[in-house]
Amino acid sequence: MVPFTYARPATLSEALRLGTGNPAARYIAGGTNLVDLMKVDVERPAQLIDISRLPLRSVEPSAGGGLRIGALVANSDLAYHPEIERRYPLVASAILAGASQQLRNMASTGGNLLQRTRCAYFYDTATPCNKREPGTGCSAIGGLNRGHAVLGTSESCIATHPSDLCVALAALAATVQVVGPTGERSIAFADFHRLPGETPERDTNLSAGEIVTAVTLPAEGFAAHHTYIKIRDRLSYAFALVSVAAALRMEGDTIAEARLALGGVAHRPWRVPEAERALKGKTATPQLFAQAADIALQGARGHGHNDFKIALARRAVVRALTQAERGTPQPQSLKKIL
């Protein structure tokens, strides 16, 4: 076992003091990802800073009519929160499509944003991985890459981001609130996660020592016309091969506003503004949805084992937009089926 020290700060300022200037420290909340990485020797923190007792568990109205979600709100609590179910059912559906009930009870909203890839080569310290050890190479390129990315890849990394919740947050254009040694700032969700480029070891644009404190949802939740589709190898407890969050604001048969984001296909949740613009102001038809799917997958490139994902994603986008337009979201749990 790799030894480490443990601290449980009582205040946010104390947590920042402990984490600032200490690159070997890691913040931990639910621990559903970090502990796994420690078990397989991918993460070797010299200090764990337990922030689970900080006052970041509230869900409350925000300026502009949206909703502010504390970073430590458990996934289970968020999925079944009355305001989320009523105003942002896309968020609830995405959460319920992910993990098991036990994991959702522990996993936090902020931690969900910071999940690291589930690429098998990243978890296997006996294989080269640029994300784990920059400059060593990417074993997934030319390796077993069935679950890997087809969009936004680089020669350094073809890993995917694993979160379901983040796909819904990307579609809704959420904002991430963070605090660090230099103060507070807001990050648009589209700017929070990074593509691999030549620095795949960096998953987000957080600065050193910063802590996610909240996620803010805008006023528009697309409650009437939304869906979250997750395609996976087995129905329960599996990460997405392809997922789609689709949200529409309809005026009769016309799409007044559209949101579209994909998961399981890129290093970050893949929102597609070009496809959204192609849908806006148009009459909803199967042909229009197919056109939007083609736009969403522009530039997609398989790496052998995952070539099938491109066609699969096209079909999933069309299906998701069809369900959203009809107001018949994909059921994600027994509660929603009943």
Side-chain angles (χ1 to χ4, degrees), residues 57-129:
R57 294 183 180 274
S58 63
V59 178
E60 55 194 13
S62 65
L67 206 64
R68 188 179 190 277
I69 303 161
L72 294 178
V73 175
N75 284 182
S76 292
D77 293 340
L78 186 60
Y80 294 112
H81 190 281
E83 285 298 287
I84 293 295
E85 290 190 309
R86 182 176 69 87
R87 296 181 57 193
Y88 306 96
L90 182 61
V91 170
S93 294
I95 292 172
L96 294 172
S100 66
Q101 183 66 46
Q102 293 89 340
L103 285 173
R104 293 196 297 265
N105 287 342
M106 291 297 297
S108 66
T109 299
N112 210 286
L113 273 61
L114 300 174
Q115 287 186 79
R116 307 215 67 190
T117 184
R118 263 51 177 198
C119 172
Y121 297 108
F122 173 70
Y123 272 73
D124 184 357
T125 56
T127 63
C129 172

Side-chain angles (χ1 to χ4, degrees), residues 33-44 122-126 132:
N33 188 204
L34 178 57
V35 172
D36 283 347
L37 292 172
M38 291 172 65
K39 288 178 179 178
V40 295
D41 218 24
V42 172
E43 287 278 3
R44 299 166 61 93
F122 173 70
Y123 272 73
D124 184 357
T125 56
R132 190 181 65 249

Side-chain angles (χ1 to χ4, degrees), residues 162-175:
S163 171
D164 290 292
L165 172 58
C166 286
V167 182
L169 296 178
L172 293 175
T175 302

Side-chain angles (χ1 to χ4, degrees), residues 170-237:
L172 293 175
T175 302
V176 184
Q177 313 296 329
V178 305
V179 64
T182 60
E184 299 180 4
R185 66 183 179 119
S186 298
I187 307 173
F189 204 86
D191 298 325
F192 185 78
H193 296 99
R194 297 167 56 93
L195 291 179
E198 296 181 355
T199 56
E201 70 277 11
R202 292 190 62 193
D203 293 329
T204 74
N205 284 312
L206 282 177
S207 298
E210 284 188 321
I211 299 174
V212 175
T213 57
V215 173
T216 302
L217 299 175
E220 175 60 77
F222 300 93
H225 295 276
H226 73 277
T227 199
Y228 185 75
I229 290 177
K230 180 178 182 179
I231 301 171
R232 45 197 155 171
D233 284 325
R234 60 186 188 277
L235 184 59
S236 61
Y237 316 151

